[in-house]
C-alpha cells in the first residue's frame, strides 16, 4: 500500500539542495506552508529560485528565507509587503521575474499539465511582452538583467483579430504546500481561500511536499471532495490543526 506520510518536516525537505527551484503555495500569508519553510531555513540551503505569488512579510512566510539570504530569484506577481525584498532587489542582491497574477497561475498549471507554453492577451502592448523590465540591478542602480522580448501572434477570437503574447510554462524541482486534510495516498483538501495557488504550485513541482493539519486513511475522503489528486503529491507531513497562522493586516469594523 502506498503511504506518503513522512515523520517530520525536516525529512520532507531533506533532499532539497542549494540552487533548487521551488514552487510555494499561498496568497499573502494565507495557506502558506510555514512549517516546511522553517524546516528549509534550518537545513541551511541557499541560492534558491522560488516561484510564489509573493514573498511573505519581513518576519514570516518566505520572508524568513529572504532575510537569511537564502533566495537568489523570485518569480512573483505581488511583492509589496516586504521591505527587505525591496532593499535586496534595488541593491542587486535579488533577481525578480515579475509576472501578472493570472499568467503566473496559468504558467504553474500548464507546467503541471505537460503544456509547454500558451498564448494570452495579458501583457500585450506592455513591457511584459516588449521586454525591458528590470529583473536584477547592479549595485550602482543600473539594470544588470532585463526581461526578454516575448513572441506576439495574432488570432481571430469571436470574429475579432487580437494579439496574444506567448508565455512559457513553469516547472520546478520541488513544491511546498499547506492543506487542511490529506489521506495517506496524498489526496489533498484545502480550506476555502487557503486553496489559492497551492494546487497549481503542487502540480508544477516534480517532487511535492505537503504539510497538512489532519491525515486520514485512504478511502476516507469522498473523491468528489478532493481538490488535488495524490498523483501530484509525494510527501505528507502532519502539522496539526493548531499550527500558527498569521494575518498580514488585521482589520475589524468598529463596534456598533
Amino acid at each position: 500500500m502506498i503511504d506518503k506520510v513522512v515523520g517530520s518536516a525536516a525529512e520532507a525537505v531533506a533532499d532539497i539542495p542549494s540552487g533548487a527551484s521551488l514552487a510555494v503555495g499561498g496568497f499573502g500569508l494565507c495557506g502558506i506552508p510555514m512549517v516546511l519553510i522553517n524546516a528549509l531555513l534550518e537545513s541551511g540551503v541557499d541560492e534558491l529560485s522560488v516561484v510564489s505569488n509573493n514573498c511573505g512579510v519581513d518576519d514570516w512566510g518566505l520572508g524568513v528565507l529572504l532575510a537569511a539570504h537564502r533566495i537568489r530569484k523570485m518569480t512573483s506577481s505581488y511583492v509589496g509587503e516586504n521591505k527587505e525584498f525591496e532593499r535586496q532587489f534595488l541593491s542587486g542582491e535579488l533577481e525578480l521575474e515579475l509576472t501578472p497574477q493570472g499568467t503566473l497561475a496559468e504558467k504553474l498549471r500548464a507546467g503541471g499539465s505537460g503544456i509547454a507554453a500558451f498564448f494570452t492577451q495579458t501583457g500585450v502592448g506592455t513591457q511584459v511582452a516588449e521586454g525591458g523590465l528590470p529583473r536584477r540591478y547592479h549595485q550602482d542602480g543600473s539594470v544588470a538583467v532585463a526581461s526578454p522580448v516575448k513572441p506576439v501572434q495574432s488570432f481571430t477570437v469571436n470574429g475579432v483579430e487580437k494579439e496574444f503574447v506567448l508565455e512559457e510554462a513553469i516547472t520546478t524541482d520541488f513544491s511546498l504546500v499547506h492543506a487542511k486534510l490529506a489521506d495517506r495516498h496524498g489526496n489533498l483538501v484545502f480550506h476555502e481561500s487557503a486553496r489559492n495557488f497551492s494546487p497549481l504550485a503542487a502540480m508544477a513541482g516534480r517532487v511535492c511536499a505537503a504539510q497538512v493539519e489532519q491525515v486520514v486513511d485512504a478511502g476516507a475522503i469522498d473523491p468528489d471532495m478532493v481538490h488535488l489528486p495524490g498523483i501530484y503529491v509525494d510527501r505528507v507531513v502532519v502539522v496539526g490543526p493548531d499550527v500558527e497562522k498569521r494575518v498580514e493586516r488585521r482589520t475589524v469594523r468598529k463596534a456598533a
Side-chain angles (χ1 to χ4, degrees), residues 50-70:
V50 181
V51 181
S52 190
N53 181 61
N54 61 290
C55 196
V57 294
D58 288 304
D59 64 344
W60 200 246
L62 288 168
V64 300
L65 290 174
L66 186 74
H69 298 275
R70 306 293 180 79

Side-chain angles (χ1 to χ4, degrees), residues 22 28 61-62 64 79 81 98 139 172 180 196 200 233 237 239-240:
L22 304 172
L62 288 168
V64 300
V79 295
E81 298 294 333
L98 198 59
Q139 289 186 350
T172 58
K180 181 178 179 62
N196 52 64
L200 309 173
V233 179
V237 58
V239 297

Side-chain angles (χ1 to χ4, degrees), residues 2-21:
I2 297 174
D3 190 341
K4 297 179 180 179
V5 177
V6 298
S8 67
E11 182 181 349
V13 303
D15 59 345
I16 299 179
S18 292
S21 59

Side-chain angles (χ1 to χ4, degrees), residues 117-128:
F118 58 92
F119 282 98
T120 176
Q121 283 189 277
T122 303
V124 172
T126 74
Q127 284 185 297
V128 170

Side-chain angles (χ1 to χ4, degrees), residues 28-29 32 34 37-38 41 54-69 71 79-88 94 246-249:
L29 300 183
I32 60 173
M34 193 64 211
I37 291 171
N38 277 331
L41 177 68
N54 61 290
C55 196
V57 294
D58 288 304
D59 64 344
W60 200 246
L62 288 168
V64 300
L65 290 174
L66 186 74
H69 298 275
I71 299 176
V79 295
E81 298 294 333
N82 193 316
K83 293 181 180 178
E84 176 61 12
F85 191 107
E86 177 185 13
R87 189 199 68 77
Q88 288 191 25
L94 177 70
R246 297 188 186 180
V247 176
E248 287 175 87
R249 299 185 183 185

